């Protein structure tokens, strides 16, 4: 594999890792606050549909993004209502919302556009188009670094850069701010937060709302940047892969980024069987490559990455007791 | 107790009240947890609140800390009517609470736990910096030394409690409520705590101490209020009362505080344990080679701070966990792992077990009393109707009989276990195990969460079983209980037996040293002589 091919694969890695990263950070906020969210998938899917539909109708990718965030937050609010207010089972609520999103997106898309459950193909301003970073053209001919900057780092949509900037921001929020301290505390021991006179319910809803926003961005990215429109089940399990990455990263933001890049790299390899075959000098069945990210997910979830200790109060509704 | 109101009235002119509760009532559904409670706590005193489980002490304090809202009544802080709808208001009013189960975030540092909820601004650095300085001052002022950067999970229970106190002081609490603060402490740590509390009192803080231990009330408080079944029955000056009088007020009748027992007549060895070892799920050795003998007709008490291997010892002997080493019952070796090492086999062999954790191991709370009475003995021929069916009628009749003998209230076999009080639940478990007439009874924390009346009864049962020539292994974190019941005392620390003592010739000081892992008997003796 030559350097140019490697850069192509890495470029694809970054593009494919972005929705995983956004969903993974979304899950991080929720789970750090003690609310398990298996419904990342459904939120992304609903956001993708809404973003695709609104972008197609208005011709504006930004309007699509807002619609995506809105749809995702609606699902997040439902999850919050079930898990926080009514102290329901968080897994069941998440699974239910995933089913709801799976059916509802296709139904609405079909009712609106009559294109077999898809939204119309997007072009121009209805999509987030690649941004060329300053100096990319000028540096292009510098050996090694130039092509790396031009191919891998420059030339993505603005949502990619936002996603990667959210990583240090999340670290800063979690470990350097009052909100972060309280958020982490409420996921570890909500009683400590409650007796300190801070609202457990308020904090958990705030966390779930952030999850909604980030999943909304992830879904909108799928429909208006990575691809040109919404298609049935287009998230293809990315919500679950993001959860696996979250566990892999032990609920830490920077590690989450590396985990998502790893999963993205496997997804990128699946798109380039020729590259894989030239590297391993063997014919590799394409379906096996397609399955790689999912196999990795299973391995991670089965605990092959060492002991991952989730936030201690994760999954437990908070019942005030003395 | 009529004089008490006058006493308080006279004090009002001298020292104002830190807290006054007037006519506080609170009901949970049909249960009246607090009925028209009146109490006045003078500033700068240590005020004890004592009462049995379910007497309503905790509900009252939860109302004071804004966890529950009273149905009626008024709270006055420093003479001012102060509504306390939530914990934030309580903190603002200068009330701090140290809960029985600490409200700390285990993987946070001491500093982070202290600032949580009382941060200076949106960013942490300034808050943490200020807290570090305040902590240094508090440590100097009150002798409350804790490493600010230590993680809570690395601290001993005593230090964790200090963090809770520091949390309250950091929020500038003038009134400190401590709920059963010594349950998890060694006698030494408890002494230290009381020294701290007296220091706080000297600085003008007001302390409310909730406990069921009469000794602590007598030792540490200035005044004491007694609660019974949701009402405040009396408030007295501590120096004018006695443990016997307080116990009587708590229960409403005369109570025997001392256990009556005759000298033991130990017979042959019933249980012999050699080099017993247990590892937990992480592979950490929790029991590190324990060897002991228990004879017929004796009670062997295991003293120790919770978490030093006592639970594992009971679990291994009772067939609840895998272990290595050898145990023999009446000379017959019993397997410690694999087939025949389960709880039911142990019961068939003649080892009955009253587990430490009544709610998780002793009972199924959602099951009826008569079903709970069958557990562990459900294969007993007397409960079988045929090869396939159990004789539920016989079981219910049997339960009714046991309930009558053990004075379980209400005596309704079909009532679910969760609907009995702690004491009555424990009586059900004890009845089940003791009435099988075992050769050896393992009994863990027999009176945890059990009211004084039931404690008296359960203690009598244990002594009666001993006098019937049975062997008893008693595990308890209540040193008083161990001292008064045991014929021999083994002290456990860090999975090992630190020493074997005769209750007649030892004292709390010596046992406390052993519980803290200090074997220096000569040291203890020297200290004793120095006194």
């Amino acid at each position: 594999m030559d350097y140019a091919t490697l850069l192509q694969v890495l470029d694809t890695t970054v593009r494919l890792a972005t929705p995983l990263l956004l969903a993974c950070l979304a899950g991080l906020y929720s789970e750090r606050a003690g609310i398990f969210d298996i419904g990342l998938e459904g939120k992304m899917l609903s956001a993708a549909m809404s973003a695709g539909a609104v972008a197609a109708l208005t011709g504006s990718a930004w309007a699509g993004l807002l619609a995506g965030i809105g749809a995702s937050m609606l699902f997040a609010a439902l999850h919050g209502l079930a898990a926080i207010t009514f102290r329901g089972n968080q897994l069941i609520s998440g699974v239910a919302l995933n089913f709801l999103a799976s059916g509802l997106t296709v139904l609405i898309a079909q009712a609106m556009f009559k294109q077999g459950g898809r939204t119309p193909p997007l072009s121009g301003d209805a999509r987030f188009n690649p941004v060329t970073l300053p100096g990319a053209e000028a540096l292009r001919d510098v050996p090694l670094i130039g092509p790396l900057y031009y191919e891998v780092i420059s030339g993505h949509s603005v949502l990619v850069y936002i996603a990667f900037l959210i990583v240090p921001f999340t670290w800063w929020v979690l470990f350097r701010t009052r909100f972060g301290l309280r958020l982490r505390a409420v996921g570890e021991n909500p009683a400590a937060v409650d007796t300190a006179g801070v609202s457990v319910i308020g904090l958990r809803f705030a966390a779930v709302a952030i999850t909604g926003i980030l999943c909304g961005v992830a879904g909108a990215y799928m429909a208006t940047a990575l691809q040109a429109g919404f298609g049935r089940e287009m998230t293809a399990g990315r919500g679950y892969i993001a959860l696996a990455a979250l566990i892999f990263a032990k609920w830490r933001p920077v590690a989450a980024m590396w985990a998502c890049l790893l999963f993205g790299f496997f997804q990128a390899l699946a798109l380039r069987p020729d590259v894989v075959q030239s590297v391993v000098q063997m014919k590799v069945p394409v379906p096996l490559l397609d399955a790689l990210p999912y196999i990795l997910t299973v391995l991670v979830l089965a605990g092959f990455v060492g002991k991952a200790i989730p936030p201690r109060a994760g999954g437990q509704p908070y019942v005030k007791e003395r | 107790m009529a004089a008490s109101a006058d006493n308080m009235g006279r004090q009002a002119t001298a020292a104002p009240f830190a807290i006054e509760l007037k006519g506080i009532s609170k009901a949970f559904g049909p249960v009246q947890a607090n009925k028209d409670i009146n109490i006045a706590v003078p500033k700068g005193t240590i005020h004890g609140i004592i009462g049995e489980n379910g007497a309503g002490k905790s509900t009252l304090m939860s109302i004071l800390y804004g966890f529950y809202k009273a149905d009626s009544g008024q709270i006055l802080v420093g003479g001012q009517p102060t509504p306390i709808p939530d914990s934030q208001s309580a903190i603002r009013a200068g009330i701090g609470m140290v809960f029985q189960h600490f409200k700390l975030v285990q993987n946070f540092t001491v500093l982070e736990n202290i600032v949580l909820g009382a941060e200076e601004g949106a960013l942490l650095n300034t808050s943490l910096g200020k807290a570090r300085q305040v902590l240094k001052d508090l440590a100097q002022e009150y002798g409350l030394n804790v490493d600010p950067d230590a993680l809570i999970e690395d601290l001993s229970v005593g230090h964790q409690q200090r963090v809770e106190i520091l949390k309250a002081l950091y929020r500038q609490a003038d009134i400190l409520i401590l709920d059963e603060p010594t349950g998890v402490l060694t006698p030494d740590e408890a002494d230290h705590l009381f020294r701290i509390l007296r220091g706080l009192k000297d600085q003008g803080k007001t302390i409310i101490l909730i406990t069921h231990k009469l000794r602590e009330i007598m030792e540490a408080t200035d005044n004491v209020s007694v609660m019974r079944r949701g009402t405040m029955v009396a408030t007295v000056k501590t120096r004018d009362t006695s443990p016997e009088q307080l116990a009587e007020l708590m229960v409403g009748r005369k109570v025997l505080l001392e256990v009556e027992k005759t000298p033991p007549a130990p017979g042959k060895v019933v249980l012999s344990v050699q080099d017993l070892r247990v590892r937990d799920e992480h592979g950490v050795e929790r029991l590190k080679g324990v060897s002991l003998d228990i004879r017929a007709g004796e009670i062997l008490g295991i003293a120790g701070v919770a978490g030093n291997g006592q639970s594992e010892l009971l679990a291994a002997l009772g067939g609840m966990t895998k272990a290595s080493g050898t145990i023999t019952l009446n000379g017959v070796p019993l397997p410690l792992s694999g087939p025949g090492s389960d709880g039911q086999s142990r019961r068939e062999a003649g080892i009955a077990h009253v587990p430490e954790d009544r709610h998780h191991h002793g009972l199924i709370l959602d099951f009826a009393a008569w079903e709970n009475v069958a557990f562990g003995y459900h294969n007993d021929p007397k409960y079988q109707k045929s090869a396939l069916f159990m004789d539920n009628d016989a079981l219910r009749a049997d339960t009714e009989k046991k309930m009558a003998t053990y004075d379980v209230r209400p005596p309704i076999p079909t009532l679910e276990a969760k609907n009995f009080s702690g004491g009555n639940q424990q009586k059900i478990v004890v009845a089940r195990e003791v009435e099988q007439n075992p050769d050896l009874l393992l009994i863990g924390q027999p009176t945890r969460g059990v009211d004084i009346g039931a404690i008296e009864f359960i203690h009598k049962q244990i002594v009666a079983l001993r006098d019937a020539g049975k062997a008893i292994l008693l595990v308890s974190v209540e040193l008083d209980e161990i001292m008064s019941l045991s014929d021999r005392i083994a002290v456990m620390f860090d999975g090992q037996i630190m020493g074997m003592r005769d209750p007649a010739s030892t004292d709390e000081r010596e046992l406390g040293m052993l519980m803290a892992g200090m074997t220096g008997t000569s040291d203890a003796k020297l200290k004793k002589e120095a006194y």
Side-chain angles (χ1 to χ4, degrees):
Chain A
M1 182 167 56
D2 58 14
Y3 189 54
T5 319
L6 176 69
L7 290 183
Q8 280 171 17
V9 173
L10 289 182
D11 178 54
T12 314
T13 299
V14 171
R15 280 193 296 118
L16 290 174
T18 297
L20 295 178
L21 180 57
L22 285 163
C24 189
L25 292 171
L28 191 146
Y29 279 96
S30 185
E31 300 213 345
R32 277 280 190 170
I35 305 290
F36 284 157
D37 196 349
I38 207 166
L40 299 175
E41 177 83 4
K43 283 196 262 296
M44 281 169 80
L45 202 57
S46 63
M49 198 284 294
S50 308
V54 171
L57 292 175
T58 62
S60 161
W62 290 100
L65 176 66
L66 282 181
I69 291 175
S72 172
M73 285 190 75
L74 190 69
F75 271 68
L78 282 173
H79 186 56
L81 199 67
I84 305 168
T85 309
F86 295 118
R87 304 189 194 119
N89 186 305
Q90 299 168 8
L91 290 183
I92 293 181
S93 161
V95 169
L97 289 172
N98 281 345
F99 278 124
L100 187 65
S102 169
L104 207 56
T105 47
V106 178
L107 180 78
I108 293 176
Q110 174 64 19
M112 283 175 75
F113 302 105
K114 313 247 176 336
Q115 295 185 10
R118 310 181 63 85
T119 60
L122 305 172
S123 59
D125 284 343
R127 279 191 78 194
F128 284 99
N129 291 307
V131 180
T132 305
L133 292 185
E137 291 289 350
L139 290 171
R140 194 173 180 180
D141 295 328
V142 177
L144 286 178
I145 300 174
L148 181 75
Y149 184 59
Y150 183 80
E151 287 281 343
V152 181
I153 296 174
S154 176
H156 295 289
S157 78
V158 65
L159 295 183
V160 173
Y161 300 112
I162 291 176
F164 280 87
L165 284 177
I166 292 176
V167 174
F169 178 73
T170 296
W171 177 86
W172 180 79
V173 166
L174 276 185
F175 299 106
R176 288 291 180 270
T177 69
R178 173 176 63 191
F179 176 71
L181 183 77
R182 293 176 174 184
L183 188 84
R184 285 183 290 134
V186 85
E188 291 286 336
N189 186 357
V193 173
D194 196 14
T195 51
V198 183
S199 164
V200 171
I201 289 175
L203 271 173
R204 287 191 159 170
F205 264 109
V208 167
I210 296 172
T211 303
I213 293 171
L214 292 178
C215 276
V217 180
Y221 173 83
M222 292 288 301
T224 61
L226 191 63
Q227 297 182 20
F230 167 80
R232 169 193 292 262
E233 299 290 349
M234 75 179 302
T235 48
R238 281 180 170 83
Y240 302 108
I241 296 180
L243 276 183
L246 184 60
I247 294 169
F248 200 5
K250 303 193 167 122
W251 294 268
R252 292 169 306 183
V254 178
M257 180 185 75
W258 294 118
C260 289
L261 282 170
L262 179 70
F263 280 103
F265 180 67
F266 278 101
Q267 289 185 331
L269 282 186
L271 294 177
R272 294 295 298 267
D274 56 315
V275 175
V276 178
Q277 277 172 19
S278 75
V279 170
V280 300
Q281 300 291 326
M282 212 170 76
K283 196 167 160 45
V284 182
V286 176
L288 180 67
L289 286 178
D290 281 335
L292 264 184
Y294 302 95
I295 293 172
L296 185 62
T297 304
V298 170
L299 289 181
V300 167
L301 291 178
F304 281 90
V305 290
K307 199 163 171 54
I309 302 161
R312 260 161 257 211
Q316 298 162 8
Y318 178 59
V319 183
K320 197 179 189 116
E321 56 182 342
R322 50 145 283 96
Chain B
M1 285 331 103
S4 64
D6 291 340
N7 271 341
M8 292 289 156
R10 271 202 301 280
Q11 273 179 359
T13 49
F17 294 118
I19 281 203
E20 284 171 87
L21 300 180
K22 288 185 174 166
I24 296 282
S25 292
K26 173 77 185 170
F28 296 101
V31 182
Q32 189 76 35
N34 284 161
K35 249 181 302 199
D36 191 28
I37 302 284
N38 292 295
I39 178 175
V41 180
K43 245 183 203 143
T45 61
I46 301 183
H47 194 110
I49 293 187
I50 196 162
E52 295 191 295
N53 291 290
K57 330 182 275 283
S58 297
T59 306
L60 188 64
M61 291 307 117
S62 297
I63 289 171
L64 199 45
Y65 197 64
F67 253 44
Y68 297 138
K69 213 176 139 4
D71 298 336
S72 62
Q74 200 184 19
I75 302 172
L76 277 76
V77 180
Q80 298 297 316
T82 313
I84 302 182
D86 51 34
S87 302
Q88 192 80 56
S89 317
I91 294 166
R92 264 200 306 272
I95 300 170
M97 181 121 175
V98 175
F99 290 88
Q100 187 176 7
H101 304 287
F102 305 146
K103 311 290 184 189
L104 297 170
V105 182
Q106 289 291 315
N107 56 0
F108 277 20
T109 64
V110 169
L111 220 47
E112 286 174 322
N113 269 287
I114 283 173
V115 299
L116 180 67
E119 303 89 342
E120 291 291 298
L123 298 185
L124 276 185
N125 272 342
T126 46
S127 312
L128 293 175
K130 187 200 155 195
R132 192 180 294 276
Q133 190 51 49
V134 172
L135 213 55
K136 217 181 262 171
D137 299 343
L138 287 174
Q140 274 178 359
E141 209 170 333
Y142 303 111
L144 283 158
N145 285 308
V146 191
D147 173 10
D149 297 309
L151 290 177
I152 296 297
E153 57 200 357
D154 296 337
L155 294 180
S156 71
V157 190
H159 277 83
Q160 293 189 16
Q161 192 171 53
R162 276 185 220 174
V163 177
E164 284 283 21
I165 295 173
L166 285 167
K167 255 168 78 177
L169 295 178
Y170 183 74
R171 289 159 172 75
Q172 289 166 349
D174 287 321
I175 301 151
L176 203 58
I177 306 169
L178 294 103
D179 189 4
E180 301 282 358
T182 59
V184 288
L185 303 181
T186 63
D188 247 14
E189 285 175 319
D191 282 348
H192 190 109
L193 173 69
F194 289 135
R195 276 201 300 281
I196 291 171
L197 294 184
R198 275 188 281 270
L200 289 167
K201 177 185 134 180
D202 293 342
Q203 301 282 333
K205 308 272 185 198
T206 308
I207 290 152
I208 299 178
L209 181 68
I210 304 170
T211 181
H212 66 272
K213 293 183 184 170
L214 293 164
R215 198 165 44 84
E216 288 172 2
I217 288 285
M218 298 309 294
E219 214 170 276
T221 64
D222 299 309
N223 299 303
V224 52
S225 296
V226 185
M227 290 189 73
R228 183 170 76 227
R229 283 194 216 116
T231 59
M232 191 64 80
V233 289
T235 298
V236 291
K237 278 189 174 300
T238 309
R239 62 166 182 268
D240 296 340
T241 186
S242 66
E244 287 75 18
Q245 190 192 14
L246 289 177
E248 195 182 329
L249 284 168
M250 278 164 70
V251 184
R253 63 176 168 83
K254 281 226 182 296
V255 183
L256 220 52
L257 289 178
E258 295 291 311
V259 180
E260 281 186 330
K261 69 187 184 55
T262 52
K268 63 178 177 53
V269 171
V270 173
L271 177 81
S272 175
V273 177
Q274 294 300 323
D275 196 33
L276 191 66
R277 289 169 191 275
V278 172
R279 285 181 187 279
D280 68 10
E281 68 264 39
H282 306 298
V284 180
E285 206 168 48
R286 292 294 180 171
L287 212 54
K288 302 171 177 173
V290 164
S291 301
L292 50 85
D293 286 340
I294 308 176
R295 293 174 176 276
E298 78 163 349
I299 300 173
L300 175 65
I302 308 273
V305 179
N308 276 292
Q310 305 97 309
S311 305
E312 286 78 5
L313 176 64
L314 280 180
L317 296 177
M320 288 165 65
T321 183
K322 261 198 315 202
S324 66
T326 50
I327 57 172
T328 57
L329 184 72
N330 296 322
V332 183
L334 296 177
L336 282 163
S337 60
S341 68
D342 55 302
Q344 203 189 330
S345 310
R346 288 283 198 277
R347 285 187 164 83
E348 279 162 14
I351 301 180
H353 185 187
V354 177
E356 287 184 303
D357 188 338
R358 178 164 68 234
H359 289 170
H360 288 111
H361 300 135
L363 295 166
I364 298 181
L365 293 176
D366 287 330
F367 280 25
W370 68 270
E371 291 170 309
N372 274 294
V373 164
F375 291 142
Y377 304 102
H378 44 275
N379 288 341
D380 193 311
K382 74 177 179 220
Y383 296 147
Q384 313 304 321
K385 193 179 270 174
S386 64
L388 274 179
F389 294 99
M390 288 186 74
D391 191 350
N392 290 349
D393 292 333
L395 197 45
R396 274 189 284 264
D398 188 44
T399 305
E400 209 155 341
K401 216 171 73 196
K402 283 180 178 146
M403 284 179 142
T405 324
Y406 281 76
D407 189 28
V408 176
R409 285 179 223 176
I412 306 169
T414 49
L415 198 65
E416 285 168 3
K418 65 181 172 204
N419 294 327
F420 291 91
S421 74
N424 284 306
Q425 288 175 349
Q426 187 71 330
K427 282 182 183 174
I428 293 174
V429 181
V430 171
R432 174 180 78 206
E433 302 298 338
V434 169
E435 290 303 301
Q436 288 294 325
N437 203 19
D439 292 332
L440 169 69
L441 176 70
L442 310 171
I443 184 161
Q445 318 299 351
T447 55
R448 176 184 284 170
V450 170
D451 46 57
I452 291 197
I455 289 178
E456 191 186 10
F457 184 88
I458 290 169
H459 283 173
K460 271 187 193 159
Q461 293 302 316
I462 295 174
V463 173
L465 195 67
R466 176 200 78 160
D467 292 342
K470 308 298 181 182
I472 290 156
L473 180 73
L474 165 74
V475 169
S476 176
V477 292
E478 302 282 350
L479 208 44
D480 291 345
E481 182 166 53
I482 293 282
M483 299 265 291
S484 59
L485 277 178
S486 308
D487 300 314
R488 276 190 305 149
I489 299 173
V491 184
M492 282 190 79
F493 173 75
D494 193 26
Q496 287 170 310
I497 291 188
M498 302 306 289
M500 207 61 99
R501 293 289 182 275
D502 179 351
S505 63
T506 187
D507 57 17
E508 296 212 347
R509 179 166 299 275
E510 191 189 11
L511 293 179
M513 302 274 280
L514 290 170
M515 283 162 70
M518 288 174 277
T519 37
T521 327
S522 50
D523 277 350
K525 284 237 173 76
L526 278 177
K527 268 194 179 168
K528 221 159 78 182
E529 274 156 22
Y531 265 80

